[in-house]
Amino acid sequence: MKNFKKADRLCGVAYDIRGPVMQQAAKMIADGQEVLKLNLGNPAPFDFRAPKEIIETLKANLENTEGYSASNGLQEAREAIARYCRHKGIPNVRLQDIYTGNGVSELIIMSMQAFLNHDDEVLVPAPDYPLWTASVKLAGGNPVHYVCDENSDWMPDLEDMRRKITPRTKGIVVINPNNPTGALYPKEVLQQIVDLAREKNLVIFADEIYDRLVMDGEKHVAIASLAPDLFTVNFNGLSKSHLIAGFRCGWMCLGGDKSYAKDFIGGLDLLSTMRLCSNVPAQSVIPIALQDFDTVDPLFLPGGRIYEQREYIYQALCSILGIQVKKPKAAFYIFPKMDIQKFGIVDDEQFALDFLKEKNVLLTHGTAFNWATPDHFRIVYLPKVEELKTAMENLADFLPTYHQSQGR
């Protein structure tokens, strides 16, 4: 019998969903153990519910959304997205420049497939949402990671970015607000990235799905609003802001000067048509979801659940010896740093696995986000404070006696 192997193009593509930590968690759950999941940005398991009007709109439209839509989406959905782009200052976005998708993830993969040839390079942040690195590799390109500086509140290191540009570099990925750090980039930093992209003739890929999940009175600036003369590709959606991750409802918008990207856009049109269309019932909720641009979600205001969970998790981590952490300003992620000398850590995935086995708490190790040093982990602080308190008490109990070189 033939041994059927995975395709060669998948070699070297890593997306840490089925690694040993997740496998162990699945085994523990199958054996009847309770596992506190702090690893996945999915609001539904933690008693978050979509706005009532979203659910009612979906129900009302089900019988009218049984067929395919246009390959790039329902017109009324794209009209609502176009209005949102104007509100954000994203320039020159027409209806034909908007593509709805089965979540942003599908569109990220599609954009890289249309954009890259073998060995083309794309600058990707470190740490990053790992789908970006995987998508670049899957398309035959090389992700080149520029450093986000923890000592500067996780801002992109512009000099590191500049040093890593080569003649093969075609684009820059900007994740703002950032996953996994929760950092929010100010206008001044974004302007420097735009200036560099303009100087080097690079496309900006802006992952801004957390743009409405901002705290502390801060404002999100769409990077495309600073680059009307450049070609930009903006990604957004409703999975997080409207608590409907399972609906798979995202979009991609082409902005700025598209005159030198006609062939790339033709590739996007081809790939969009090949998958027929995105989830049509989910598209039907976009107009009502985007009808209110300016109201801040109460969850992210003082007294709101996510705001208060952030306050708790930050203070709790700061109180644990051997842990340092920057306070996030957006989304619902925090990315603490461990003293790897103190704990003898050489393998952060092993740390996450050991903690899971001993304390039944599931974290994500930092190198899964293409962070080079095994000294970080990500917490998703969506669970209620009572559950976060349990997790932090377990971490505070676990770490003082933990040293990898000595075992447990």
Side-chain angles (χ1 to χ4, degrees):
M1 295 290 290
K2 289 182 179 179
N3 182 14
F4 295 102
K5 299 181 179 180
K6 68 182 178 183
D8 291 342
R9 63 180 175 277
L10 290 175
C11 295
V13 176
Y15 190 57
D16 191 39
I17 290 180
R18 301 181 65 181
V21 180
M22 289 300 298
Q23 290 175 14
Q24 176 64 28
K27 181 179 184 300
M28 292 167 68
I29 293 168
D31 291 342
Q33 299 185 53
E34 289 189 11
V35 173
L36 178 53
K37 297 178 181 179
L38 305 182
N39 67 308
L40 191 61
N42 181 12
F46 303 108
D47 299 323
F48 289 96
R49 291 294 175 260
K52 184 177 179 180
E53 60 268 24
I54 296 288
I55 303 302
E56 293 303 319
T57 299
L58 181 70
K59 290 178 180 178
N61 281 285
L62 278 176
E63 291 186 354
N64 300 320
T65 54
E66 294 175 345
Y68 299 128
S69 71
S71 62
N72 57 353
L74 293 170
Q75 179 168 329
E76 54 268 34
R78 288 181 288 123
E79 288 172 345
I81 294 166
R83 289 192 294 272
Y84 189 70
C85 288
R86 289 194 292 272
H87 170 73
K88 297 288 292 187
I90 301 174
N92 193 26
V93 177
R94 306 159 299 177
L95 290 190
Q96 62 264 41
D97 301 321
I98 297 169
Y99 303 77
T100 61
N102 296 303
V104 164
S105 298
E106 177 190 47
L107 296 167
I108 289 172
I109 295 169
M110 192 169 81
S111 69
M112 293 298 100
Q113 292 287 325
F115 187 60
L116 295 175
N117 290 312
H118 182 67
D119 283 342
D120 286 342
E121 295 176 357
V122 177
L123 294 178
V124 179
D128 74 333
Y129 174 50
L131 182 68
W132 276 107
T133 293
S135 297
V136 172
K137 288 184 176 180
L138 182 63
N142 292 321
V144 177
H145 293 100
Y146 65 87
V147 173
C148 295
D149 184 1
E150 185 170 15
N151 294 324
S152 298
D153 292 326
W154 290 112
M155 293 298 110
D157 184 332
L158 270 294
E159 289 307 311
D160 186 61
M161 189 183 289
R162 177 179 290 276
R163 283 193 299 268
K164 289 173 177 174
I165 294 174
T166 75
R168 299 202 67 87
T169 308
K170 293 181 69 176
I172 301 174
V173 174
V174 179
I175 306 173
N176 177 43
N178 184 267
N179 174 11
T181 67
L184 178 69
Y185 302 160
K187 182 177 180 180
E188 308 79 62
V189 170
L190 297 173
Q191 185 64 62
Q192 292 179 64
I193 297 173
V194 167
D195 292 343
L196 182 59
R198 181 179 294 117
E199 176 189 341
K200 299 297 185 179
N201 192 27
L202 303 177
V203 177
I204 296 174
F205 293 89
D207 184 343
E208 298 181 339
I209 195 168
Y210 300 99
D211 70 338
R212 297 179 292 284
L213 280 61
V214 175
M215 290 174 271
D216 305 327
E218 299 279 355
K219 296 292 183 182
H220 176 268
V221 176
I223 191 170
S225 69
L226 308 176
D229 57 319
L230 302 182
F231 177 57
T232 59
V233 186
N234 178 273
F235 300 86
N236 215 314
L238 303 180
S239 291
K240 315 297 184 178
S241 63
H242 290 74
L243 309 173
I244 53 173
F247 283 34
R248 310 314 298 133
C249 187
W251 59 81
M252 173 175 66
C253 304
L254 313 181
D257 183 0
K258 293 179 277 287
S259 63
Y260 57 96
K262 292 180 180 178
D263 200 47
F264 168 51
I265 295 170
L268 289 176
D269 290 337
L270 173 63
L271 293 172
S272 178
T273 303
M274 287 173 66
R275 53 97 208 232
L276 297 181
C277 69
S278 66
N279 184 318
V280 183
Q283 292 182 52
S284 73
V285 308
I286 293 175
I288 193 167
L290 294 182
Q291 66 182 357
D292 186 358
F293 295 145
D294 296 314
T295 301
V296 178
D297 190 326
L299 290 170
F300 291 84
L301 294 173
R305 182 176 156 185
I306 291 179
Y307 179 95
E308 296 302 330
Q309 287 165 192
R310 181 203 59 170
E311 294 296 286
Y312 171 77
I313 199 72
Y314 173 71
Q315 295 296 337
L317 287 165
C318 287
S319 70
I320 298 175
L321 292 177
I323 297 291
Q324 298 178 18
V325 65
K326 297 294 182 180
K327 192 173 189 178
K329 293 184 177 181
F332 32 69
Y333 308 112
I334 194 166
F335 201 55
K337 181 178 182 179
M338 300 176 286
D339 184 337
I340 56 176
Q341 299 300 319
K342 178 180 178 67
F343 303 123
I345 294 175
V346 295
D347 184 339
D348 58 342
E349 186 173 44
Q350 186 63 49
F351 157 75
L353 184 60
D354 292 339
F355 184 51
L356 171 65
K357 288 179 176 179
E358 185 162 326
K359 297 296 186 180
N360 291 53
V361 179
L362 178 57
L363 308 170
T364 307
H365 55 289
T367 53
F369 301 97
N370 296 294
W371 184 250
T373 309
D375 59 355
H376 283 75
F377 58 92
R378 188 189 74 170
I379 290 176
V380 178
Y381 55 86
L382 284 171
K384 293 178 180 178
V385 167
E386 294 79 11
E387 294 175 291
L388 294 175
K389 184 176 181 182
T390 297
M392 292 302 96
E393 288 174 349
N394 280 324
L395 184 63
D397 181 65
F398 175 83
L399 283 174
T401 59
Y402 186 73
H403 201 283
Q404 280 189 353
S405 64
Q406 300 172 6
R408 290 298 291 153

